[in-house]
Amino acid sequence: MNIAVVGLGHIGLPLAAQYASKGHRVRGCDINQRVVDMVNAGQAYDDEPGLEARVAEAVAAGLLTAQTNTADAVRASDVVVVIVPLMVDAEKAIAYNAIDSATRDVASGLTAGTLVIYETTLPVGDTRKRFGPMLAAGSGLTVNEQFSLAFSPERVYVGRVFEDLKKYPKIVGGTDADSTRKAGEFYRAVLDAEITEVDNAETAEFTKLAETTYRDVNIALANEFAAFAEEHGIDVLQSIDAANSQPFSHIHRPGAGVGGHCIPVYPYFYANNTRFADVARLSREVNDGMAAHVVGRLDSALVGLSGRKIGVFGWAYRENVKEDAFTVARRLVDELTAADAEVVVDDPLYTADELAAKGLTPYQSGEALDAIVIQAMHEQYADCDWARIPGLQVILDGRNALRTDQIPDSVRVIGVGRLYIDA
Ligand SMILES: NC(=O)c1ccc[n+]([C@@H]2O[C@H](COP(=O)([O-])OP(=O)(O)OC[C@H]3O[C@@H](n4cnc5c(N)ncnc54)[C@H](O)[C@@H]3O)[C@@H](O)[C@H]2O)c1
């Protein structure tokens, strides 16, 4: 098959490499010339495990090339996979610019007989009602008659993409039965995973919104349990683990909040389009409120934050990934600054210049701090000797990730819903 992958990001490039590894001719499309040049040189700009070798191999075999001209790549393809991001803006409105623009480019190269699949997480109905008409208008072709259209959510986790591509069932739903069938056939040819064909594109779209909203709601519940546990002198992790020994209980872990461009975003794709989403909306509020909650605990522990020097450790939204979309670190910095603390930020995955360019003050090694908030427990922190930070009184472990043997006697540790704290 000739396949075009539109958007060579954290997910698109691994997908392109995966399809090429099955012997197909893949054209990757991206508006970023640097990305295109690197891929054509056989390099991955991302440190996804296994990606560099797969890209090098596919490019050397002549099965993978990259280009900025999407229409040309689409014209040469039997199947087009769209995987450019869709996010919400500061007002939680959905910002369609990137995916609309990619869709217009796909439309202008679309020829009869092509199958177009959206993998970007979408609000329910967008494949059929938004992109179907755009593709038809731009190509002059009729959807379901002259080209096929489907949605298949991408469910992998950055850092273990190739593992997940094998493991997670691939959910596929088309805008008609023939599109569903063709998309199912496509994925059987390019993946090793089980393929699950559902009734239609809307069912497939809703699957992804349901699984991500479920996680957000579950985390919000765990966060409220953590706050309750703090009030009652209970270690919430003991209660959660004990509760989860009952097979119907699947309570997630509490923390300082939820970051990344999936979990804090997709509940809005769902909630913005329905009046039946009270639980999802409230959960978003609870999770967004966790940064203020943990800063409040730190305030009690230090008996006031004004004039205190606090290090936020882990700018990335989660451990071991250089990605800061919707990172809770931003909220923590804002809350601490509003409380008149002096805030510095550390992250071994970012250079001091990169942090400074985001308007942050980078932490300088050896600098004295009154307290640290751990927001992402990068592996570089695993063997950190916290006692060597001059003046350190408190660590607020926002991820409940410190090992007991890592906690120095001289430092008081506060977790989220943990007993050993008592702030
Ligand atoms: N990153 C994740 O953890 C994750 C996990 C599962 C699913 N997803 C899905 O994958 C989507 C993409 O995520 P990502 O992490 O790969 O994004 P990313 O930001 O890493 O990459 C997106 C790429 O798309 C390119 N792009 C933007 N506009 C374009 C256009 N008009 N034409 C061609 N290319 C364009 C960008 O230059 C960039 O290289 C997400 O929106 C989400 O739906 C992401």
Side-chain angles (χ1 to χ4, degrees), residues 9-11 30-31 83-86 98 102 120-121 154 156 158 261 266:
H10 294 302
I11 308 296
D30 205 290
I31 49 169
I83 181 86
V84 303
L86 181 63
T120 301
T121 306
E154 191 43 79
V156 295
V158 166
H261 46 64
Y266 301 150

Side-chain angles (χ1 to χ4, degrees), residues 3 25 46 79 96 113 162 233 238-239 255 272 311 333 366 368 392-393 405:
I3 304 167
R25 172 70 176 92
D46 202 354
V79 181
Y96 280 102
F162 292 104
Q238 276 193 35
S239 294
N272 287 0
V333 169
L392 189 65
Q393 299 168 49
D405 66 309

Side-chain angles (χ1 to χ4, degrees), residues 30-347:
D30 205 290
I31 49 169
N32 185 337
Q33 186 67 50
R34 191 181 74 89
V35 168
V36 166
D37 292 344
M38 285 190 78
V39 173
N40 284 330
Q43 293 164 356
Y45 60 91
D46 202 354
D47 55 6
E48 180 64 38
L51 181 61
E52 184 89 51
R54 283 177 168 85
V55 169
E57 199 178 314
V59 171
L63 290 173
L64 174 62
T65 53
Q67 58 197 81
T68 51
N69 191 324
T70 297
D72 280 354
V74 169
R75 206 168 284 117
S77 298
D78 310 298
V79 181
V80 180
V81 173
V82 180
I83 181 86
V84 303
L86 181 63
M87 300 236 214
V88 288
D89 63 19
E91 278 71 50
K92 314 301 181 205
I94 301 169
Y96 280 102
N97 336 28
I99 198 157
D100 278 356
S101 156
T103 299
R104 280 190 292 273
D105 290 343
V106 170
S108 63
L110 197 60
T111 53
T114 307
L115 165 66
V116 181
I117 306 173
Y118 283 80
E119 288 210 7
T120 301
T121 306
L122 298 177
V124 171
D126 273 5
T127 305
R128 186 189 305 273
K129 293 192 188 133
R130 185 182 189 92
F131 299 120
M134 280 176 77
L135 291 169
S139 64
L141 300 172
T142 315
V143 63
N144 297 339
E145 287 175 21
Q146 292 171 294
F147 70 95
S148 303
L149 182 59
F151 180 79
S152 178
E154 191 43 79
R155 312 166 80 195
V156 295
Y157 194 69
V158 166
R160 46 161 217 247
V161 170
F162 292 104
E163 223 177 291
D164 290 352
L165 279 175
K166 281 194 211 130
K167 211 166 45 188
Y168 295 164
K170 191 74 176 127
I171 313 296
V172 180
T175 49
D176 69 347
D178 197 46
S179 296
T180 305
R181 185 186 54 75
K182 283 184 180 152
E185 265 170 30
F186 166 69
Y187 285 115
R188 275 181 205 99
V190 295
L191 299 179
D192 301 309
E194 178 191 330
I195 311 299
T196 305
E197 291 176 18
V198 294
D199 275 359
N200 46 39
E202 290 73 16
T203 309
E205 289 165 337
F206 189 43
T207 299
K208 175 81 182 191
L209 302 189
E211 74 190 30
T212 46
T213 303
Y214 161 76
R215 284 172 64 197
D216 203 43
V217 169
N218 195 322
I219 293 166
L221 187 63
N223 283 336
E224 290 208 322
F225 286 167
F228 176 89
E230 287 159 10
E231 280 179 346
H232 290 81
I234 296 166
D235 184 329
V236 78
L237 294 193
Q238 276 193 35
S239 294
I240 288 176
D241 288 344
N244 285 352
S245 67
Q246 206 278 357
F248 294 129
S249 183
H250 306 280
I251 307 164
H252 287 8
R253 289 285 191 246
V258 184
H261 46 64
C262 295
I263 309 295
V265 173
Y266 301 150
Y268 294 112
F269 285 15
Y270 153 64
N272 287 0
N273 289 325
T274 177
R275 53 192 181 87
F276 303 109
D278 294 346
V279 174
R281 285 191 201 97
L282 189 57
S283 300
R284 279 280 70 241
E285 274 177 44
V286 169
N287 289 336
D288 281 351
M290 284 309 286
H293 177 78
V294 299
V295 167
R297 299 196 84 207
L298 188 60
D299 182 71
S300 311
L302 288 172
V303 198
L305 290 169
S306 180
R308 300 289 196 169
K309 191 159 177 181
I310 315 291
V312 172
F313 276 45
W315 172 254
Y317 86 86
R318 72 162 158 90
E319 72 288 351
N320 307 326
V321 165
K322 189 177 178 181
E323 168 64 60
D324 65 354
F326 300 93
T327 180
V328 172
R330 172 63 71 194
R331 286 181 187 278
L332 291 167
V333 169
D334 290 349
E335 292 287 344
L336 289 163
T337 307
D340 207 20
E342 185 188 344
V343 188
V344 293
V345 175
D346 183 81
D347 194 310

